[in-house]
Amino acid sequence: MFTRLNKKKFKFVRPNGTAIWYDIQTLVQYIIKTGEFREPETRIEFSLADLTRLDSQARHFGLDLPSVVEARTNSAPYEEKRAAEDAMLCLERFCGEVVADMQRCLEQYDPETLEMCLVGHLFPSYSHFFKQIKDRNAEMAQQLVYHHISFLRGPPNRPTEDPFGFLPIILNFIMDVSRGTRSTSEFGF
């Protein structure tokens, strides 16, 4: 969002010669918070000279802000944060794949095969992945439950086909796992 800049601004010249101005405080806070040492609009990486100039201008204007140069040199916390975010993303994807398999099996398999698939593979896998997500971020886990249930039900104009009445069982299982009334230990984990 474009806002009127005060006198405390930083000029960044892109490789193609175009220049853009940023509020120094906002830009430094963005860099420190995200660990992204790139121009927010184009994702062009800031050079060490750019970051040094940004620090210098922040000090010149008397802004009490952390150094972006020091943050770049000590990037371990940002790398750890990215690794944790990547792990969560992988868990979310694994969980989502299990839910997609539940829907596919629900619509394609006969009752005996569906039951074996759910109890022998999909329920244990979902429970295992969901517990890991919930242990790391309970709020995200609750959002996933909402999305998984919505996905399994299907859209109002084309609800999921449930020829053998297993959908309520699957939805109850997901709710039980989210509440903690079902655990991975029930499936041998």
Side-chain angles (χ1 to χ4, degrees):
M1 182 166 144
F2 296 105
T3 59
R4 183 172 298 281
L5 295 175
N6 58 29
K7 292 182 182 185
K8 300 173 185 174
K9 53 191 174 185
F10 174 76
K11 180 180 180 182
F12 176 67
V13 180
R14 297 175 179 151
N16 68 1
T18 59
I20 188 161
W21 294 89
Y22 286 98
D23 177 80
I24 292 174
Q25 184 168 348
T26 304
L27 183 59
V28 170
Q29 288 172 342
Y30 164 79
I31 291 171
I32 296 296
K33 176 76 175 173
T34 64
E36 290 289 333
F37 301 93
R38 303 172 185 272
E39 194 235 333
E41 193 174 283
T42 61
R43 314 297 298 149
I44 296 170
E45 190 154 349
F46 287 122
S47 69
L48 187 55
D50 292 325
L51 296 174
T52 303
R53 193 166 47 87
L54 181 57
D55 275 349
S56 173
Q57 287 182 317
R59 280 191 308 276
H60 171 76
F61 286 113
L63 299 173
D64 185 28
L65 298 168
S67 167
V68 290
V69 172
E70 286 180 26
R72 183 174 178 182
T73 7
N74 183 18
S75 60
Y78 298 115
E79 291 169 13
E80 290 171 12
K81 182 180 175 189
R82 279 191 201 98
E85 289 171 353
D86 288 347
M88 283 296 287
L89 183 60
C90 286
L91 287 170
E92 180 184 350
R93 287 181 179 166
F94 291 153
C95 216
E97 286 179 22
V98 172
V99 170
D101 285 346
M102 286 178 185
Q103 184 184 45
R104 183 182 52 78
C105 293
L106 187 66
E107 293 181 333
Q108 294 178 359
Y109 289 166
D110 62 85
E112 292 80 23
T113 307
L114 174 59
E115 186 175 354
M116 292 300 293
C117 188
L118 290 172
V119 174
H121 173 64
L122 297 175
F123 283 177
S125 296
Y126 184 85
S127 178
H128 177 71
F129 294 136
F130 186 83
K131 181 182 181 331
Q132 292 181 58
I133 292 169
K134 189 174 181 180
D135 288 348
R136 288 172 174 80
N137 187 334
E139 183 180 345
M140 179 183 178
Q142 288 309 309
Q143 291 172 351
L144 284 177
V145 167
Y146 171 77
H147 291 295
H148 293 162
I149 288 175
S150 296
F151 176 81
L152 284 166
R153 285 184 176 146
N157 61 338
R158 190 167 181 262
T160 299
E161 294 178 24
D162 183 21
F164 306 109
F166 277 82
L167 183 59
I169 295 168
I170 295 171
L171 298 178
N172 285 334
F173 169 80
I174 289 175
M175 290 304 298
D176 287 349
V177 169
S178 74
R179 288 187 212 108
T181 56
R182 293 268 176 117
S183 70
T184 53
S185 62
E186 292 179 41
F187 302 103
F189 287 106

